[in-house]
Amino acid sequence: MINRDTVSGTALVIAAAPAGKGCLIDATSVLPTLAAVPPSILTGTTAATIVELTDPADPQTVLTRIRAAAATPGPLSLYITGQLHLDHKQHLIHLALARTTPTTLRYTALPWHWLASELKLRRPGTTTVVTDVVATPDAWQQLRTEGLALGHGIRVYGRITPPPPRRRITEPAYLKALATTWRSGINPPLAQLHEQAAAQAGPDDALFLAVDHTAVPTPAATAVQVPSRPHQEPAPVATAPPAISENTEVAEEDPLPAIFAAAHAGRHGEAASLTAMWEGWALRTYGEGSLQAIHWLEVRADLARLADDPARSCELWMAAADARLARQQPPDDPAVEGAVDRAHHQWQELRDPQRARELGPPLFSLRRHVPGRRSGAVEAVQRRLELLHTMPPVGARRAAS
């Protein structure tokens, strides 16, 4: 238990965005409002230290400040506003800095996993991260299904917005709403304030994060068992992946209801971030390729379906099937068949011929190895692939019309 009357807290404020035409957000515009908030409110403690990084240019410098803040024993609050980019080589999210350009991203931006690595060393329940960021188009597509993960024991609240229209620069309206409320002398619980700020800031298509699992995770509870339904025309996907079949300790809490409730309510970023937290814990606890890790991979696959991203869902279900086969589970194992069935179904849902052509060959190879219990699934993939290769690219069809 932290005695907030005696412990000193730290708040690290990072406002960063590229200079010039690559800028999508006026990140520093929130700083005057935040500066008017009493430091004790920003940290949640009587004694407070505030560290501010305004338009930093060097990722190593930012990392050093984060590392120093993470090393403090008291409560730590991070306030981050800026824009997120995707590294196309490693598919990793980066926070852009002042000198970041698309071609120099890997050398001039802060990899998000650097931040996660520093914070995961802290005692659970002592760290809060509040974000108000905009994402570039490719980063936005990944974040819609993958979320923005930091790790267990960290409270994460915030907003991620899609890229603004061309030649428009957005503002950190969510963080400004928080700061304006604090300036007025009102300091409700952060979860309540988050809801108010989210409703005020919008927009409707933003991803809002509200992850407050500050206890150390326990082994994931068994999901609802979904019977495998191989098919000739792939059957609809159930709302939960197959159960973990290893004998593991039952969780004190089952995170799946909260995750899928968020997804069904359209809060896909929140659902994905919660899942990433639990998946990270499973990877650290049981290792890559464990049934626990595969379970959360399958949860991500179903969340991608709920986020209306059949391509990503197909990829993840194929990855889950491959991971189970790598564990020497036989091709007729219901869990393996179910993963391939779901991948097949999501592939059929794809309306982008190019993406369908890209995912078709690996699915066909997997289908030949795992044909399922109804005849015709392999042939169905082959027939659609042949049809796809006769279709012109989307751009060519639009030009023709």
Side-chain angles (χ1 to χ4, degrees):
M1 182 69 69
I2 297 173
N3 185 344
R4 297 184 181 272
D5 292 330
T6 59
V7 175
S8 176
T10 301
L12 175 59
V13 180
I14 302 175
K21 63 181 182 180
C23 181
L24 300 178
I25 184 171
D26 185 3
T28 60
S29 65
V30 74
L31 295 179
T33 313
L34 278 176
V37 176
S40 59
I41 291 183
L42 293 179
T43 63
T45 58
T46 302
T49 299
I50 309 297
V51 180
E52 184 179 292
L53 294 179
T54 304
D55 279 333
D58 178 36
Q60 291 295 336
T61 299
V62 178
L63 177 62
T64 299
R65 294 296 183 90
I66 292 172
R67 184 168 293 162
T72 59
L76 172 63
S77 297
L78 279 80
Y79 298 90
I80 302 174
T81 179
Q83 62 191 63
L84 301 178
H85 291 239
L86 182 67
D87 166 23
H88 288 278
K89 185 171 184 180
Q90 296 180 310
H91 299 284
L92 297 174
I93 294 295
H94 288 61
L95 177 69
L97 302 180
R99 292 201 299 258
T100 298
T101 66
T103 56
T104 65
L105 175 67
R106 298 181 62 203
Y107 312 103
T108 59
L110 179 78
W112 191 258
H113 67 272
W114 284 10
L115 174 64
S117 295
E118 296 300 325
L119 297 185
K120 76 178 181 181
L121 303 176
R122 290 181 52 81
R123 187 155 56 91
T126 63
T127 308
T128 300
V129 177
V130 179
T131 67
D132 193 354
V133 292
V134 62
T136 58
D138 47 4
W140 173 251
Q141 291 303 317
Q142 178 163 311
L143 289 165
R144 286 183 69 248
T145 55
E146 299 293 324
L148 193 63
L150 282 173
H152 74 268
I154 299 174
R155 293 197 304 169
V156 182
Y157 287 94
R159 178 185 75 154
I160 306 173
T161 59
R166 189 175 178 85
R167 296 187 179 88
R168 289 277 301 276
I169 295 179
T170 189
E171 291 189 348
Y174 167 85
L175 195 49
K176 283 184 177 181
L178 295 183
T180 300
T181 300
W182 285 327
R183 284 181 61 185
S184 69
I186 301 174
N187 188 18
L190 189 53
Q192 178 183 336
L193 185 54
H194 164 78
E195 292 183 2
Q196 296 172 1
Q200 180 178 339
D204 293 339
D205 57 348
L207 298 179
F208 289 98
L209 309 177
V211 180
D212 194 358
H213 280 238
T214 51
V216 178
T218 52
T222 300
V224 178
Q225 177 69 51
V226 178
S228 176
R229 297 195 295 171
H231 49 276
Q232 193 162 15
E233 292 300 324
V237 180
T239 57
I244 301 172
S245 59
E246 281 186 349
N247 293 323
T248 58
E249 180 184 352
V250 177
E252 294 179 7
E253 62 170 326
D254 181 358
L256 287 179
I259 289 171
F260 281 103
H264 283 291
R267 303 192 306 274
H268 300 294
E270 177 184 336
S273 296
L274 276 169
T275 301
M277 179 188 74
W278 283 91
E279 183 179 20
W281 170 82
L283 288 167
R284 291 190 298 272
T285 305
Y286 296 99
E288 188 175 358
S290 64
L291 286 178
Q292 290 81 2
I294 296 172
H295 168 75
W296 289 106
L297 179 64
E298 291 170 336
V299 171
R300 284 203 289 132
D302 208 41
L303 289 178
R305 175 186 67 87
L306 293 173
D308 196 25
D309 190 349
R312 184 60 178 157
S313 183
C314 175
E315 289 177 323
L316 290 169
W317 279 119
M318 286 195 292
D322 287 335
R324 289 185 177 277
L325 290 170
R327 290 180 54 86
Q328 306 303 312
Q329 290 182 239
D332 60 353
D333 185 302
V336 176
E337 289 182 333
V340 179
D341 288 345
R342 290 168 175 83
H344 190 163
H345 173 75
Q346 289 301 296
W347 183 67
Q348 285 195 319
E349 292 294 303
L350 270 171
R351 295 296 174 259
D352 181 350
Q354 180 59 35
R355 288 295 283 136
R357 280 192 290 265
E358 292 170 356
L359 294 173
L363 176 63
F364 180 67
S365 177
L366 190 57
R367 247 317 175 204
R368 290 182 65 185
H369 190 55
V370 186
R373 299 184 186 180
R374 291 186 184 178
S375 61
V378 178
E379 292 77 9
V381 177
Q382 186 174 22
R383 283 196 302 271
R384 189 182 185 213
L385 264 177
E386 292 171 351
L387 177 62
L388 286 167
H389 283 295
T390 66
M391 299 175 64
V394 175
R397 294 206 310 273
R398 288 175 180 168
S401 61

